Amino acid sequence: MPFHPHTLSVVLALFLTVPVPATARAIAAHNRIARATAQSDVIVQLFQYNWNSVANECTNYLGPLGYGYAQVSPPHEHILGTQWSSDYAPVSYKIHSKRVTYPYSGTGIGGSPYSPFDYPAVPYTASDFHAECDIDWFNATSIHDCWLPGLSDLRTESDHVRDMQRAYLADLVSLGVDGFRFDAAKWMAVDDIANFLSELSPKPFAVQEAEWIQGSPVQPNDYERNGNVHEFRHTWSLDVAFLQDGGLDSLFQTPYPDWVTSDNANVFVANHDTERSGGDLRSTSSNNAYLLATIYTLAQSYGHPTILSGYDFTDKDAGAPVDSDEMLLDVDCSNGTHRCEQRWPVISAMVKFHNTVSGSDMRRAVAAGKNQISFGRGDVGHVAINYENATWSANIQTDVPDGIYCDVISSCQRTVNVSGGFFAYDVYAYDSVAFHTGEK
Ligand SMILES: *[C@@H]1O[C@H](CO)[C@@H](O)[C@H](O)[C@H]1NC(C)=O
Ligand SMILES: *[C@@H]1O[C@H](CO)[C@@H](O)[C@H](O)[C@H]1NC(C)=O
Ligand SMILES: *[C@@H]1O[C@H](CO)[C@@H](O)[C@H](O)[C@H]1NC(C)=O
Ligand SMILES: *[C@@H]1O[C@H](CO)[C@@H](O)[C@H](O)[C@H]1NC(C)=O
């Protein structure tokens, strides 16, 4: 289906920037999620794409390649600044960001004036903010109401703030947005988010950022009431398996029973925060770890996956390239800046695998060594992953019917012969094999 850029806007603001002297840093906001096709639950996070590029990607790549949703950066008016994080610092709910090409003036990128506790374009005044206090991490009310450093905190329990939030979301839904990603959801009460989402029709999809912390009085599972929740423990279990020598076979113990339930879980190998963290998997991880972790995530049955589409950076604050007016340039997947992971043949092939095996149980999980694992999905698909520096000559039992299949990891350069319920295959070092009944 065609995608007009205006149908893609979505976002919500949690906190407003406190323009404390020159260091107004903020977070808040939500990215938004727009429908590409209905055939898949896989989301692509089009990090820092402008509207032109979102529309191009949805129409020419995401739909044809089998993805389900595009998640874009926050569309509301935000503070000036080329850093990517300025997108997360709303000053009004005008749909006016680096992604639209209007001239701007004044203080917000859309020209709206703002000053501490005064955002006339919304409007918000001092009474719409919680008094400043430091977060006590063992007190849920304090987590929800006190300030993240430098960020004033909206009184999301108040009628006026809720009215403004609901109106903003309703505006976005009227523009054709299908869902919202609530950044920093953990710093808002579950009931407040429930209120923002109430009265919207059709009911939008929601995914909330509520990272698990041991012993915290605010847990990811609390947010399942409102929709999906990012399950960071999936990401960390990949980090342990691939980067900390935990062994790929340790993944067979996941998901642990206290994780977000599969239907409500959003899973990812990396997002825009974790790829900048230093210790987590990223596309440049050695020994093909990023691709193998992505193959695993798309092959297994837990949660709904998001694929990050990012750009290369040396400075972790740097935004994607902009013009002299600080407007994002169109994405160019061939010039070495944007990585366009969603178009990588192995990833898009595994999205098709994921869509084909959807609803089938995980079975015949075996480990030939702690870093050589294999499992099937019903009688529809099978995968084997070798994270050792030597070829794995595997002979694996599968429920996929006898026949000759395309090895989708090699773009069908190699084939898999299932015979008598087994397939013999040389899985190369730091490589993988995957096949399914959709590609014989
Ligand atoms: C929890 O935090 C809130 C907000 O700061 C505060 O009003 C309340 O007294 C705290 N409760 C306890 C038990 O410390
Ligand atoms: C890619 O395009 C961006 C934006 O025009 C530019 O800043 C960058 O230098 C280009 N990179 C290469 C490798 O051409
Ligand atoms: C894998 O083996 C090759 C050949 O022995 C060697 O050159 C390479 O350094 C090894 N890689 C790792 C990550 O151990
Ligand atoms: C598949 O394997 C079986 C058993 O080894 C063999 O008889 C058959 O010829 C193979 N098929 C192809 C196309 O290689």
Side-chain angles (χ1 to χ4, degrees):
M1 63 188 276
F3 293 90
H4 188 276
H6 290 148
T7 66
L8 294 174
S9 324
V10 179
V11 169
L12 236 205
L14 308 187
F15 313 100
L16 286 189
T17 297
V18 183
V20 201
T23 51
R25 298 286 314 267
I27 315 174
H30 311 334
N31 297 338
R32 48 109 166 344
I33 297 175
R35 176 169 292 143
T37 68
Q39 64 189 309
S40 174
D41 65 341
V42 183
I43 296 167
V44 180
Q45 180 184 359
L46 297 174
F47 185 53
Q48 289 252 291
Y49 277 52
N50 69 17
W51 297 131
N52 276 342
S53 298
V54 170
N56 176 56
E57 204 61 29
C58 286
T59 306
N60 296 319
Y61 294 94
L62 301 191
L65 291 174
Y67 291 93
Y69 299 90
Q71 175 189 319
V72 308
S73 293
H76 52 68
E77 181 181 13
H78 53 74
I79 60 168
L80 291 169
T82 57
Q83 299 101 322
W84 61 266
S85 55
S86 61
D87 291 25
Y88 287 76
V91 301
S92 83
Y93 300 133
K94 288 186 196 167
I95 311 302
H96 193 146
S97 65
K98 285 174 194 155
R99 273 150 292 281
V100 295
T101 47
Y102 299 123
Y104 59 80
S105 61
T107 42
I109 196 163
S112 300
Y114 61 91
S115 59
F117 308 113
D118 189 22
Y119 298 80
V122 180
Y124 288 137
T125 56
S127 61
D128 295 315
F129 295 88
H130 291 125
E132 184 168 6
C133 49
D134 294 331
I135 290 176
D136 167 2
W137 293 97
F138 297 98
N139 174 341
T141 307
S142 171
I143 291 171
H144 293 144
D145 293 357
C146 289
W147 289 24
L148 284 168
L151 299 176
S152 51
D153 196 81
L154 282 169
R155 292 183 64 234
T156 44
E157 71 278 22
S158 80
D159 288 344
H160 176 66
V161 171
R162 288 178 168 192
D163 287 349
M164 295 300 101
Q165 299 283 340
R166 284 202 313 276
Y168 176 44
L169 294 195
D171 181 28
L172 293 169
V173 168
S174 79
L175 295 172
V177 163
D178 293 304
F180 305 102
R181 174 183 182 270
F182 292 80
D183 194 73
K186 189 164 79 181
W187 288 275
M188 294 189 294
V190 173
D191 283 350
D192 297 345
I193 295 175
N195 181 280
F196 305 160
L197 290 167
S198 64
E199 300 173 17
L200 292 172
S201 178
K203 190 171 166 27
F205 170 78
V207 58
Q208 301 154 98
E209 186 198 27
E211 197 172 314
W212 177 80
I213 295 181
Q214 174 101 45
S216 172
V218 180
Q219 290 291 329
N221 314 62
D222 303 340
Y223 289 80
E224 291 189 51
R225 240 186 79 193
N226 294 329
N228 285 13
V229 186
H230 294 309
E231 183 46 274
F232 281 81
R233 285 169 286 188
H234 174 85
T235 311
W236 300 332
S237 70
L238 295 172
D239 293 342
V240 169
F242 284 93
L243 303 180
Q244 297 160 30
D245 199 28
L248 269 54
D249 61 349
S250 67
L251 297 169
F252 286 153
Q253 290 159 42
T254 67
Y256 288 96
D258 62 336
W259 287 16
V260 171
T261 54
S262 181
D263 272 358
N264 292 330
N266 174 267
V267 293
F268 54 93
V269 178
N271 70 14
H272 63 291
D273 287 324
T274 67
E275 74 161 349
R276 285 168 175 73
S277 75
D280 297 299
L281 280 161
R282 70 205 57 215
S283 62
T284 52
S285 296
S286 54
N287 299 329
N288 212 21
Y290 187 78
L291 265 190
L292 295 178
T294 302
I295 291 166
Y296 170 78
T297 296
L298 289 167
Q300 55 84 50
S301 60
Y302 173 72
H304 307 289
T306 294
I307 303 296
L308 172 64
S309 181
Y311 51 87
D312 286 339
F313 57 89
T314 44
D315 169 7
K316 66 184 171 55
D317 295 327
V322 291
D323 64 18
S324 57
D325 289 330
E326 294 189 4
M327 292 298 167
L328 289 165
L329 295 174
D330 287 350
V331 168
D332 179 349
C333 292
S334 62
N335 99 339
T337 302
H338 288 89
R339 296 189 298 257
C340 304
E341 292 91 331
Q342 71 280 11
R343 299 191 198 172
W344 294 0
V346 169
I347 293 182
S348 59
M350 284 308 297
V351 168
K352 289 198 172 112
F353 179 105
H354 173 90
N355 296 342
T356 304
V357 304
S358 167
S360 304
D361 62 322
M362 263 179 89
R363 58 172 77 166
R364 299 206 181 277
V366 293
K370 76 173 194 175
N371 286 314
Q372 296 173 326
I373 63 168
S374 175
F375 57 88
R377 293 292 304 277
D379 57 4
V380 183
H382 216 105
V383 63
I385 302 173
N386 180 15
Y387 192 57
E388 293 287 353
N389 195 11
T391 296
W392 173 21
S393 294
N395 190 28
I396 293 168
Q397 190 168 13
T398 180
D399 294 332
V400 177
D402 284 9
I404 308 291
Y405 297 90
C406 156
D407 166 23
V408 301
I409 302 300
S410 70
S411 300
C412 303
Q413 297 296 301
R414 302 177 71 192
T415 55
V416 181
N417 179 357
V418 178
S419 176
F422 283 81
F423 67 98
Y425 206 84
D426 282 346
V427 191
Y428 300 144
Y430 303 123
D431 206 343
S432 173
V433 57
F435 58 95
H436 59 85
T437 54
E439 292 189 58
K440 286 221 166 195

